[in-house]
Amino acid sequence: MALEHAILVSLLEKPGSGYELARRFERSIGYFWTATHQQIYRVLKRMESDGLLDVRDVAQQGRPDKREYSVAGRGRTALSEWLHEPIEPESLRHDLAVKIRGAAFDDPAALISEVERHRQVHRDRLAHYLAGEARDFTGPEAPAAPDAGQELQHVVLRGGIAYERMTIAWLDDVLATVHRLVASHPRT
């Protein structure tokens, strides 16, 4: 997936300025597709010049005018074409997994703090996802009859929740394995 597709999806969900779009990347779509503010602004400029986006200046009181982006007809077409193209399943590249395998040639106990740090990051991310789910999809403020966009946003979020739970379970398994190895093969 290209950043352009993530931007088109986000702007179809709600038009906004580059700043607002960057904030959305930090809050939601960015959990699955990351981009810096500079990348977003650079791609917005290119997408505008390619005719994929419409832009209008919005006056603001006490602040400079902002540019609000929305998806042009050509952008909808580009997204539709991409949605109908097959994509390859993603391959996993995991530095921590290589470190874990490499620990067989050093002291496995050296991994414990790193694995615990990763587990905490994933626990924090899971808590954040669950809070967002409660706020937007399952809590008292959630829509009684969600529309298709909300249903699809929720299924992606549920995938993120499942991934974080799976990763935490795997990291717990790694820690149990390392602790067992350290206990049964103390270094001399």
Side-chain angles (χ1 to χ4, degrees), residues 63-83:
R63 296 190 337 226
D65 293 351
K66 70 177 181 178
R67 300 189 65 174
E68 183 178 83
Y69 296 89
S70 61
V71 179
R74 194 166 168 191
R76 281 184 177 271
T77 301
L79 182 64
S80 179
E81 289 171 356
W82 178 74
L83 287 172

Side-chain angles (χ1 to χ4, degrees), residues 82-96:
W82 178 74
L83 287 172
H84 290 90
E85 293 174 4
I87 57 174
E88 289 299 315
E90 295 177 15
S91 297
L92 183 63
R93 246 183 84 180
H94 205 294
D95 290 344
L96 184 60

Side-chain angles (χ1 to χ4, degrees), residues 153-188:
Q153 287 173 1
H154 192 198
V155 77
V156 169
L157 179 59
R158 289 194 309 265
I161 290 168
Y163 175 80
E164 295 306 326
R165 286 181 171 150
M166 181 275 308
T167 301
I168 293 165
W170 175 66
L171 292 169
D172 287 340
D173 186 24
V174 170
L175 285 170
T177 301
V178 170
H179 284 296
R180 181 178 47 74
L181 289 170
V182 169
S184 65
H185 299 91
R187 290 189 68 97
T188 55

Side-chain angles (χ1 to χ4, degrees), residues 6 20 23 31 37 53 62 69-70 73 77 86 90 94 98 100 105 107 112 126 129 131 134 149 151 154-155 172 180:
E20 292 162 344
R23 295 286 307 211
Y31 298 137
H37 287 234
L53 301 178
Y69 296 89
S70 61
T77 301
E90 295 177 15
H94 205 294
V98 176
I100 293 165
F105 305 101
D107 180 11
I112 293 172
L126 175 61
Y129 287 178
E151 288 277 351
H154 192 198
V155 77
D172 287 340
R180 181 178 47 74

Side-chain angles (χ1 to χ4, degrees), residues 129-146 154 157:
Y129 287 178
L130 291 171
E133 182 183 43
R135 180 192 65 234
D136 298 335
F137 301 109
T138 61
E141 301 296 319
H154 192 198
L157 179 59

Side-chain angles (χ1 to χ4, degrees), residues 17 57-67:
S17 68
D57 291 324
V58 177
Q60 301 185 102
Q61 292 220 311
R63 296 190 337 226
D65 293 351
K66 70 177 181 178
R67 300 189 65 174

